[in-house]
Amino acid sequence: MQKVFLVEDSPLVLGRLTALLGGLPDTLVVGHASGAEEAVAAILSAKPDLVVLDLKLAQGSGFDVLIELHARAPGIDCYMLTNFSAEPYRRQAARLGANDFFDKTNEFERVRDVVAKRAANLKH
């Protein structure tokens, strides 16, 4: 069973993500946060296998979270999901250790596919 943590400051998007990922086999959403500091503390406490992370947060940014997690818990996979999908953001996310980067506008469903594939691979 893979554990997923969501970092998203929009209640609407958080609800969509929870519904999208919560129904996947072998996947459990173990928490969520809306700000960078809160997210890092909660992620380190929950010890998820992966994090789905928005770039622009209520306090701080997804990049702040990536930096902290890469330094303190490098084994956690991080996937960025954001409206700010321009190439410079994608490159920065990759440099900071993001496993992948998705545009909320046209790649929202791909998050489910990647998380489901990851869960299936863990079973083998």
Side-chain angles (χ1 to χ4, degrees):
M1 177 72 65
Q2 71 178 344
K3 297 185 293 181
V4 179
F5 195 97
L6 306 174
V7 182
E8 172 62 58
D9 63 347
S10 164
L12 180 64
V13 175
L14 178 62
R16 284 185 62 203
L17 274 174
T18 302
L20 187 72
L21 302 178
L24 291 175
D26 301 311
T27 301
L28 178 65
V29 176
V30 296
H32 60 85
S34 62
E37 283 186 39
E38 167 196 5
V40 171
I43 290 165
L44 293 174
S45 176
K47 297 180 174 54
D49 301 297
L50 70 100
V51 174
V52 178
L53 179 61
D54 191 9
L55 179 58
K56 300 290 184 181
L57 301 173
Q59 295 88 33
S61 78
F63 290 152
D64 299 330
V65 177
L66 272 176
I67 290 165
E68 282 296 311
L69 291 181
H70 190 68
R72 298 171 66 184
I76 297 174
D77 290 347
C78 294
Y79 297 89
M80 301 288 300
L81 176 66
T82 182
N83 286 322
F84 299 89
S85 61
E87 196 55 39
Y89 292 117
R90 289 179 182 271
R91 284 194 303 270
Q92 179 72 357
R95 273 194 302 272
L96 295 175
N99 294 72
D100 213 333
F101 192 102
F102 304 102
D103 181 345
K104 283 182 186 175
T105 306
N106 57 23
E107 297 178 306
F108 198 90
E109 302 292 323
R110 283 196 55 222
V111 173
R112 180 194 61 224
D113 299 339
V114 167
V115 172
K117 183 176 181 180
R118 188 183 184 284
N121 289 341
L122 290 176
K123 292 177 77 171
H124 300 293

